[in-house]
Amino acid sequence: MTKILLVEDDELFRLGLRMRLQQETSLEIVAEAEDGEQALELANRYPLDLVLLDIGLPGIGGIEACRQIKQKHPNLPILVLTSRSEKPLISRLIAAGAQGYCLKGIPAESLILAVRSVAAGASWWDQTATTEIRAAFEGNSLAVQSTKTDEALENPLTKREQEILALVAAGKSNQEIAEILYIAPGTVRVHVHAILQKLEVRDRTQAAVLAIQKGLVAPELLIN
């Protein structure tokens, strides 16, 4: 059973979300909050598997609530709900520690899949975010290709780890990566753990961001 904290200030929308999510036998709404401060309090009070967090909250706001929850509970996955998809929002969500976001109004089946994927440890990004992350990878890779800096030459990742990190940045789950690369899911988990240790980051999202900044993924791996 996946235990969820639902954070949404619109009462009717929250009611609709609760009713739809609880139709799934494997999902349980254990607590609900309508602002950021209450979300922090409830995240400290209940054992949770996922926080489903509206970004447009009164009080401290959704992004700050996300950041503070992740500070106290770094292993607690957070999936953001928003009606906005501006480029700056994506980077702010990543910096706050969110594992992904869904636009409000997506089909219920997609939301359920996102909830289950993030609770299982995968990332889930709207197509807009995935495109932006990929564009950042490609732009950074071109710069690295032209400058050949010492930092790029000292890439700590193996070729296989680069392949896996490129797929992580594209929002693929461990199971999807395993199927694409024809390896076992357990092998993917081992590689992801090694990547996090080598890059000294706490989760997959931070690894993807660092790879963008440092040009750690070979350009040819970013071509579909």
Side-chain angles (χ1 to χ4, degrees):
M1 184 69 71
T2 299
K3 299 182 182 300
I4 300 171
L5 167 60
L6 176 58
V7 188
E8 167 62 58
D9 65 320
D10 185 319
E11 185 176 359
L12 288 178
F13 189 73
R14 188 172 71 248
L15 174 62
L17 277 176
R18 184 207 317 151
M19 292 179 64
R20 179 61 186 89
L21 291 171
Q22 293 196 148
Q23 289 176 7
E24 304 294 319
T25 56
S26 61
L27 304 180
E28 178 186 2
I29 307 297
V30 298
E32 298 179 32
E34 57 185 24
D35 60 43
E37 289 84 356
Q38 190 178 19
L40 290 171
E41 177 189 345
L42 294 174
N44 292 330
R45 184 187 306 174
Y46 292 94
L48 300 168
D49 300 305
L50 176 79
V51 177
L52 185 57
L53 178 70
D54 176 30
I55 208 70
L57 295 174
I60 64 174
I63 291 178
E64 180 60 19
C66 177
R67 188 186 68 80
Q68 292 191 29
I69 290 172
K70 292 297 287 188
Q71 277 186 336
K72 292 189 176 181
H73 309 279
N75 296 320
L76 177 59
I78 297 179
L79 176 63
V80 167
L81 279 173
T82 178
S83 56
R84 301 159 44 204
S85 59
E86 297 92 339
K87 296 178 185 178
L89 175 63
I90 298 167
S91 59
R92 291 179 67 196
L93 290 175
I94 291 173
Q99 271 66 46
Y101 86 92
C102 291
L103 289 175
K104 289 184 177 180
I106 66 169
E109 292 75 15
S110 297
L111 177 60
I112 298 299
L113 181 58
V115 166
R116 287 178 170 156
S117 297
V118 171
S123 298
W124 184 281
W125 299 96
D126 177 80
Q127 184 59 44
T128 300
T130 301
T131 301
E132 293 302 323
I133 290 172
R134 187 173 185 82
F137 259 112
E138 291 170 345
N140 187 271
S141 295
L142 288 174
V144 170
Q145 208 171 18
S146 62
T147 60
K148 296 295 183 181
T149 61
D150 290 340
E151 187 174 34
L153 294 174
E154 294 173 0
N155 192 337
L157 303 181
T158 66
K159 184 67 176 292
R160 176 62 89 188
E161 288 167 350
Q162 290 184 45
E163 291 174 337
I164 289 174
L165 185 53
L167 292 169
V168 167
K172 302 297 184 183
S173 68
N174 285 355
Q175 182 63 44
E176 290 171 324
I177 294 172
E179 292 172 359
I180 292 169
L181 298 180
Y182 301 102
I183 57 179
T187 302
V188 176
R189 286 194 294 272
V190 170
H191 281 302
V192 170
H193 181 70
I195 290 168
L196 299 185
Q197 285 194 319
K198 285 183 177 182
L199 300 185
E200 298 182 346
V201 294
R202 70 177 183 229
D203 58 40
R204 301 157 67 99
T205 304
Q206 287 189 341
V209 173
L210 187 62
I212 292 171
Q213 295 172 341
K214 302 295 186 182
L216 299 179
V217 175
E220 64 268 18
L221 298 179
L222 302 168
I223 300 173
N224 285 322

